[in-house]
Amino acid sequence: KVAELQNENYQMKEMAYANERFQRLLQFREKNPLSMIGAEVIGQDPSSWFKSVTIDKGERDGVKKGMAVITASGVIGQILKTAPHYATVLLITDYNSAVDSIVQRTRAKAIVEGKGENRCQLKYLLRTEEVAVGDAVVTSGMAGNFPKGLMVGEIKKVDKKGHGVFQYAELAPSVDLTKLEEVFVVMEPIPRPPAPKEEKAKKGKKIKK
């Protein structure tokens, strides 16, 4: 009887934790105008070389390669490959991952690339840019698959030693990618800003009387 009661207690606690997560996800979805579908993480690649997870949504749900995968806390990665009922998500910590981003405080542009484990690197960050430990890094919206302004992570290390055009900066993702359970897949491509209109031919010319 004691064992049964303990088991019921564990189940109730698990339901309470799940309810808290779902409430946060629901609030995020209500505030975000993007078209998204929720998915559950059902598998994780155990290898140390390839950083990916498997979700329970696939081609029959409209999921396609390249789609962004996010949570209320920030960026997870993007769809790498699909099957009818599931899909593989390439995490931002994978060496093959690249996310166009900006440093929120200074607007410095860089590409967030994976470094394995739970780390990323800011590539192509100009040495002339002023960044500091603790700076937040967000998506730029330039690549087209990630919405602009989503949290990617926080700068944990900056090194301007040596020579060259770029400086070194290390970033910790805003989401603990080892504890993923529920995620969102962004279903619609992010609209690109309209191209600047050409100046009218008559602009600047004297008006004939």
Side-chain angles (χ1 to χ4, degrees):
K1 186 65 177 178
V2 172
E4 288 179 3
L5 290 172
Q6 286 180 335
N7 187 49
E8 287 180 7
N9 187 42
Y10 295 145
Q11 289 179 342
M12 289 178 67
K13 283 184 177 179
E14 187 62 25
M15 289 175 65
Y17 292 144
N19 185 55
E20 288 179 9
R21 295 195 308 271
F22 289 140
Q23 286 295 328
R24 289 195 296 269
L25 290 171
L26 184 61
Q27 290 173 3
F28 173 73
R29 189 169 191 170
E30 288 176 346
K31 293 178 181 178
N32 203 305
L34 294 168
S35 175
M36 302 180 290
I37 61 168
E40 186 175 346
V41 176
I42 56 174
Q44 190 162 8
D45 195 311
S47 72
S48 59
W49 296 102
F50 198 64
K51 303 298 178 185
S52 68
V53 295
T54 303
I55 59 175
D56 65 350
K57 293 293 188 294
E59 295 166 0
R60 293 192 176 184
D61 304 289
V63 175
K64 299 177 182 178
K65 182 178 179 180
M67 285 182 168
V69 182
I70 63 177
T71 70
S73 300
V75 174
I76 299 298
Q78 55 187 302
I79 300 297
L80 178 65
K81 57 183 178 181
T82 61
H85 300 288
Y86 65 89
T88 301
V89 181
L90 183 73
L91 302 179
I92 60 172
T93 49
D94 187 273
Y95 290 99
N96 298 301
S97 173
V99 180
D100 204 310
S101 307
I102 55 176
V103 179
Q104 194 171 49
R105 179 176 63 88
T106 64
R107 317 311 290 175
K109 296 179 180 179
I111 302 293
V112 173
E113 290 192 347
K115 286 201 67 176
E117 299 305 322
N118 204 43
R119 299 179 303 156
C120 296
Q121 175 185 348
L122 282 175
K123 267 197 117 175
Y124 309 117
L125 179 63
L126 292 173
R127 186 178 293 276
T128 53
E129 296 286 2
E130 188 267 316
V131 297
V133 172
D135 279 345
V137 177
V138 299
T139 51
S140 69
M142 298 296 288
N145 54 343
F146 286 99
K148 184 177 182 179
L150 282 179
M151 184 70 171
V152 180
E154 184 179 296
I155 294 178
K156 295 296 183 182
K157 182 179 180 181
V158 178
D159 188 358
K160 287 192 175 186
K161 294 178 182 178
H163 303 281
V165 179
F166 306 109
Q167 61 180 300
Y168 176 84
E170 201 169 285
L171 174 141
S174 60
V175 183
D176 187 343
L177 301 176
T178 65
K179 297 179 180 178
L180 292 175
E181 294 187 68
E182 298 90 19
V183 300
F184 283 119
V185 181
V186 180
M187 301 301 291
E188 292 180 352
I190 311 305
R192 295 180 182 275
K197 294 180 179 180
E198 293 183 3
E199 294 185 359
K200 294 180 180 181
K202 294 182 180 180
K203 187 176 180 180
K205 291 182 179 181
K206 292 181 179 180
I207 299 173
K208 295 181 180 179
K209 293 183 180 180

